[in-house]
Amino acid sequence: MTSVTDVSPARPAFRLTRALQGLERLIVPVLLIAGWEAFARSGMLPPALLPAPSAVLHALGDWVFGFDETTQTYSGHWLRDALASALRVFGGFALASLLGILAGVAIGWSRLFEKTLEPTLQMLRPIPPVSWIPLAIIWFGIADKPAIFLVFLGAFFPVLMNSIHGVKTVDHNLVRAGAMMGANSRQMLTDIVLPAALPSIFAGLRIAVGSAWMLTVTAEMVAVKSGLGYVLWDSYYFLRYDIVLAAMISIGLLGYLSDLGLKAIMARTLRWQQTTTVQGRAG
């Protein structure tokens, strides 16, 4: 049996290992930023066309905290813009997740749904979500609804396809074992098929949340007058590329945090599945 005195000496080594793993994740971003700063300061392009990371960081800081109003009307309004975008992202993502999982499980589980529902959805799937923008504006006007509709379209199909794949690829031995134990159809669906399909469903959700952020920016460029995408597009018209890049960085960070949140939920839900890479133990 392992005692407390046996475990304590290993803690500093474990913390050092975790710290080194954290530093590994910073190597590529630091090299990219350093290269960008050096190229921007080389004078090969005018600073107005390619702002240095330090200038972008200054614009982002004023956008967030409003310390010198160099970002003009956006100074100190980052939180308002980020919340407006997040509302559209998670509104469309939640709707797409609910309907995508329900439709995907139904198609993967029932031959009737596969024959009647899947052909129509597969015909709609190749249509780019941005091509729906004119109809979305006509149907919903210039407000949050068309943006949420476009986010829904971008997030729905990744969830749908991964849910179908997850249900259809469930180990048949598990289904046979459930039938031998006397499980009825509902019990096999809820107790065997759905848990076994969860890894694929979560993979679809992670793809979908990234698509949701991408479609939110597209929608805010044309269908609404607020949010990070609107600030990005409006700054482009005024040649404020430092704000454009600050908006891009904001979207990337929020998308990354959204994915981290999903990974945390996935880790708690799929306790039996280790998050590992092929070569390493920790992913």
Side-chain angles (χ1 to χ4, degrees):
M1 180 177 177
T2 304
S3 65
V4 175
T5 53
D6 295 331
V7 172
S8 298
R11 287 181 177 173
F14 175 74
R15 289 172 180 168
L16 179 61
T17 303
R18 297 288 294 179
L20 290 175
Q21 288 176 346
L23 289 176
E24 288 175 354
R25 299 175 189 273
L26 296 177
I27 292 175
V28 173
V30 168
L31 289 176
L32 285 175
I33 292 172
W36 175 11
E37 183 79 31
F39 184 77
R41 291 180 179 277
S42 68
M44 296 181 69
L45 286 175
L49 295 182
L50 182 63
S54 53
V56 175
L57 186 62
H58 183 274
L60 181 60
D62 181 63
W63 189 9
V64 176
F65 301 108
F67 48 72
D68 62 1
E69 298 186 352
T70 52
T71 54
Q72 300 174 345
T73 57
Y74 300 122
S75 180
H77 291 157
W78 182 89
L79 185 60
R80 178 199 65 186
D81 297 321
L83 286 175
S85 294
L87 175 66
R88 293 165 192 137
V89 166
F90 291 109
F93 175 73
L95 190 60
S97 300
L98 176 64
L99 296 180
I101 292 173
L102 288 176
V105 171
I107 292 171
W109 174 256
S110 167
R111 186 166 296 177
L112 174 64
F113 281 104
E114 184 182 26
K115 288 182 178 179
T116 57
L117 191 59
E118 189 176 24
T120 303
L121 292 175
Q122 295 297 353
M123 185 180 66
L124 293 173
R125 187 167 66 91
I127 301 174
V130 292
S131 66
W132 291 86
I133 288 176
L135 292 177
I137 294 175
I138 292 171
W139 291 341
F140 302 112
I142 303 295
D144 288 334
K145 290 180 181 177
I148 292 174
F149 175 69
L150 293 173
V151 170
F152 164 76
L153 289 176
F156 173 74
F157 290 105
V159 179
L160 173 76
M161 297 305 297
N162 280 273
S163 299
I164 294 174
H165 173 77
V167 173
K168 284 189 173 182
T169 56
V170 169
D171 189 347
H172 284 196
N173 289 327
L174 295 175
V175 179
R176 292 193 191 99
M180 290 176 63
M181 296 293 290
N184 56 34
S185 295
R186 184 189 62 79
Q187 288 171 327
M188 282 201 284
L189 177 63
T190 58
D191 298 341
I192 297 176
V193 174
L194 272 179
L198 279 178
S200 289
I201 293 174
F202 270 107
L205 292 174
R206 292 184 64 189
I207 297 171
V209 78
S211 300
W213 277 106
M214 287 189 282
L215 263 298
T216 296
V217 173
T218 304
E220 288 174 347
M221 286 179 178
V222 294
V224 292
K225 299 294 182 184
S226 62
L228 298 173
Y230 174 75
V231 173
L232 188 155
W233 198 240
D234 193 49
S235 301
Y236 160 73
Y237 280 118
F238 291 99
L239 305 180
R240 289 297 306 268
Y241 298 123
D242 53 344
I243 305 177
V244 170
L245 290 167
M248 293 169 64
I249 292 170
S250 301
I251 293 162
L253 285 175
L254 291 174
Y256 179 62
L257 291 176
S258 303
D259 184 64
L260 283 182
L262 271 177
K263 284 180 70 176
I265 296 172
M266 183 173 68
R268 292 183 64 86
T269 306
L270 307 179
R271 293 178 183 277
W272 67 89
Q273 187 182 51
Q274 293 290 326
T275 306
T276 59
T277 60
V278 174
Q279 292 183 330
R281 295 182 63 83

